[in-house]
């Protein structure tokens, strides 16, 4: 599938221009979602190499962009500006005058040094929504620390509850800080857009990897405040109810979600373990939590009698939530639900050819998210975008003078 829907059509965010000063993951994920929803996202990159992920894991060949870059940068236009030069900064300022939103993920202080901070840019465009995604936020004792997902997972408590009891520290397999911060920022930006619609005023919006992971620690914080004890790793088990975890079968593992009394009794019936339903050790949710390991061993003893697929079918037939544990080859290449929901798409790329990307995860009936543009080559749209802002910015017709081109007299002679 290669969706080439008109970006100025019925898309939800058509008409919004986003200046994207981000790179790597959290910021690009945020701006890609905005782009999928129809915003005109202009990715500003350093001409010395651009976004770090262009040269990251999964490169398609020497001098080519990586598949990691493809994953986070579809539907965007790329402009190369050296913001450490007077010319590059001037072009950025002109671009901001035409924009609705600016997003960056620099460490606190960098924007001020470059002349791209909120005070400077909002003076050029008072309605500007200025979004900052960083590792730890712009204030507090950790503000100047480098912002990496792994570091944030360790410092927020996330790694203290991930993995098996007694095991080495394990990070979440997905970059929850990066992606969580990107998702939070999408919500913050859209909220600021609604505020501007009511008041005419822009504002600064901020979040961080650190805050994103803390915000997702809803069960862990609840357990600590309720018990006074720091939560510990539970493997795949749930802190509040059970059995709600992965269990071993004859040929692998499955997940089961029998997290209330009705489902607990249904599980016991489906497994032929009716005698466990009212066993004093497992009679209530709290009993099952107190005897979690003992219960898991008894369930796995029964599950060893058959294969995962057979047990999943039996549990679902009994109304008990259950599923297999799949690897990404099974999910992305084979799973019929992924295909039915359009969660893997293909796009034409001018260098790499046909490339696969994850499809938009949002379904809007009247204004669907679309795939309109391939992940851009570095600087692919520089002249196109600069021509647009020259037309829209006072004095723009003479922008060529500052781009290193000699100004010309009306008679055609160089000035």
């Amino acid at each position: 599938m290669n969706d080439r829907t008109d970006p100025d059509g019925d898309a939800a965010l058509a008409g919004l221009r986003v200046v994207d000063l981000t790179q790597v993951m959290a910021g690009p994920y945020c701006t890609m979602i905005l782009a999928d929803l129809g915003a005109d996202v202009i990715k500003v990159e350093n001409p010395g190499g651009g976004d770090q992920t262009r040269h990251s894991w999964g490169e398609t060949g020497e001098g080519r962009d990586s598949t990691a870059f493809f994953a986070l940068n579809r539907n965007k236009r790329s402009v190369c500006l050296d913001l450490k030069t007077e010319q590059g900064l001037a072009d950025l300022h002109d671009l901001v005058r035409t924009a609705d939103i600016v997003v960056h993920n620099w460490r606190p202080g960098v924007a001020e040094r470059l002349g791209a901070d909120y005070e400077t840019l909002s003076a050029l465009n008072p309605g500007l929504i200025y979004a900052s995604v960083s590792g730890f936020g712009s204030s507090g004792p950790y503000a100047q620390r480098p912002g990496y997902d792994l570091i944030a997972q360790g410092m927020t408590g996330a790694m203290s509850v991930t993995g098996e009891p007694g095991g080495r520290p394990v990070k979440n397999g997905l970059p929850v800080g990066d992606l969580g911060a990107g998702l939070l920022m999408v919500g913050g930006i859209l909220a600021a857009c609604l505020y501007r619609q009511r008041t005419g005023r822009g504002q600064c919006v901020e979040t961080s990897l650190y805050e994103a992971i803390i915000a997702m620690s809803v069960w862990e914080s609840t357990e600590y405040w309720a018990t006074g004890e720091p939560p510990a790793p539970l493997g795949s088990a749930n802190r509040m109810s059970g059995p709600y975890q992965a269990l071993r079968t004859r040929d692998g593992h499955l997940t089961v979600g029998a997290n209330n009394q009705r489902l607990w009794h249904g599980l016991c019936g489906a497994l032929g373990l009716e005698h466990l339903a009212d066993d004093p050790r497992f009679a209530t949710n709290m009993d099952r939590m107190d005897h979690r390991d003992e219960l898991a061993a008894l369930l796995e003893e029964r599950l060893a009698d058959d294969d995962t697929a057979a047990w999943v079918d039996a549990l679902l037939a009994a109304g008990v939530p259950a599923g297999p544990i799949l690897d990404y080859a099974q999910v992305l290449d084979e799973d019929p639900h992924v295909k039915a929901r359009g969660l893997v798409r293909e796009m034409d790329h001018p260098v790499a050819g046909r490339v696969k990307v994850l499809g938009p995860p949002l379904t809007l009936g009247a204004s669907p998210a679309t795939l309109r543009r391939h992940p851009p080559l570095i600087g692919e749209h520089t002249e196109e975008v600069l021509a647009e802002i020259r037309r829209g910015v006072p004095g723009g017709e003479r922008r060529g003078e500052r781009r290193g081109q000699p100004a010309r007299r009306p008679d055609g002679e160089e000035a």
Side-chain angles (χ1 to χ4, degrees), residues 348-411:
D348 291 320
H349 188 274
V351 175
R354 199 78 165 160
V355 298
K356 289 185 176 181
V357 295
L358 295 179
L362 291 165
T363 300
L364 286 75
S367 54
T370 60
L371 305 187
R372 306 179 306 280
R373 296 178 179 271
H374 60 263
L377 303 175
I378 185 168
E380 180 178 353
H381 306 95
T382 300
E383 292 305 318
E384 173 183 295
V385 171
L386 291 179
E388 290 174 6
I389 63 175
R390 287 177 203 139
R391 290 194 297 269
V393 175
E397 66 278 1
R398 293 181 60 81
R399 298 290 294 154
E401 298 175 42
R402 297 213 309 273
R403 295 192 57 78
Q405 302 170 8
R408 293 182 179 272
R409 296 190 182 97
D411 59 6

Side-chain angles (χ1 to χ4, degrees), residues 314-353:
L315 291 169
L316 292 177
V320 178
I325 297 177
L326 306 178
D327 63 32
Y328 276 104
Q330 293 171 302
V331 173
L332 299 178
D333 294 341
E334 304 170 15
D335 193 278
H337 199 69
V338 167
K339 291 181 171 64
R341 298 292 291 176
L343 295 176
V344 174
R345 305 283 189 92
E346 291 186 346
M347 303 187 77
D348 291 320
H349 188 274
V351 175

Side-chain angles (χ1 to χ4, degrees), residues 4-287:
R4 294 291 182 182
T5 303
D6 180 358
D8 295 322
D10 293 330
L13 301 185
L16 283 180
R17 172 169 284 181
V18 180
V19 176
D20 180 2
L21 301 171
T22 72
Q23 62 175 327
V24 186
M25 183 167 284
Y29 189 61
C30 165
T31 55
M32 183 178 72
I33 293 173
L34 298 175
D36 287 352
L37 294 172
D40 176 22
V41 175
I42 299 172
K43 185 177 182 71
V44 177
E45 302 186 74
N46 189 307
D51 190 319
Q52 291 179 35
T53 55
R54 287 188 181 274
H55 314 289
S56 183
W57 180 84
E59 290 185 76
T60 59
E62 185 176 355
R64 309 285 179 84
D65 293 331
S66 72
T67 53
F69 179 82
F70 295 164
L72 293 159
N73 290 284
R74 63 176 178 242
N75 285 338
K76 303 178 184 180
R77 297 193 284 172
S78 172
V79 170
C80 281
L81 300 178
D82 185 350
L83 302 186
K84 294 181 180 179
T85 67
E86 181 180 351
Q87 171 59 53
L89 185 60
D91 283 334
L92 175 67
H93 286 178
D94 281 351
L95 180 57
V96 167
R97 289 185 176 97
T98 74
D100 299 280
I101 301 154
V102 168
V103 187
H104 77 77
N105 60 350
W106 295 317
R107 197 182 305 185
V110 173
E112 287 77 6
R113 290 197 297 273
L114 290 174
D117 53 292
Y118 176 64
E119 287 70 20
T120 299
L121 299 188
S122 63
L124 304 174
N125 182 347
L128 185 69
I129 294 165
Y130 184 92
S132 170
V133 183
S134 61
F136 297 92
S138 63
S139 61
Y142 304 152
Q144 291 301 320
R145 294 194 181 194
Y148 287 87
D149 183 87
L150 172 66
I151 309 304
Q153 286 198 36
M155 294 180 65
T156 54
M159 287 179 65
S160 76
V161 297
T162 305
E164 296 294 334
R168 297 179 63 182
V170 177
K171 75 176 183 67
N172 191 290
L174 301 178
V176 292
D178 278 318
L179 300 182
L183 289 169
L184 284 173
M185 184 52 76
V186 170
I189 287 170
L190 296 181
C193 286
L194 290 175
Y195 177 81
R196 183 178 62 189
Q197 189 175 43
R198 295 197 315 271
T199 68
R201 296 193 297 272
Q203 62 182 299
C204 186
V205 184
E206 181 184 351
T207 194
S208 67
L209 280 61
Y210 187 84
E211 288 161 298
I213 300 176
I214 292 286
M216 289 186 280
S217 302
V218 289
W219 285 155
E220 291 70 26
S221 59
T222 298
E223 179 178 339
Y224 173 65
W225 288 325
T227 68
E229 296 293 331
L234 296 175
S236 63
N238 186 270
R239 302 193 172 279
M240 299 296 166
S241 59
Y244 187 96
Q245 63 190 97
L247 296 167
R248 185 181 298 277
T249 66
R250 184 166 66 187
D251 68 341
H253 292 82
L254 58 72
T255 55
V256 62
N259 57 345
N260 61 42
Q261 288 300 102
R262 179 182 62 82
L263 294 174
W264 164 240
H265 283 267
L267 173 65
C268 291
L271 298 182
L273 299 174
E274 290 87 352
H275 64 284
L276 293 183
D278 297 313
D279 186 306
R281 295 170 296 174
F282 315 126
T284 69
N285 183 62
M286 289 305 300
D287 294 329

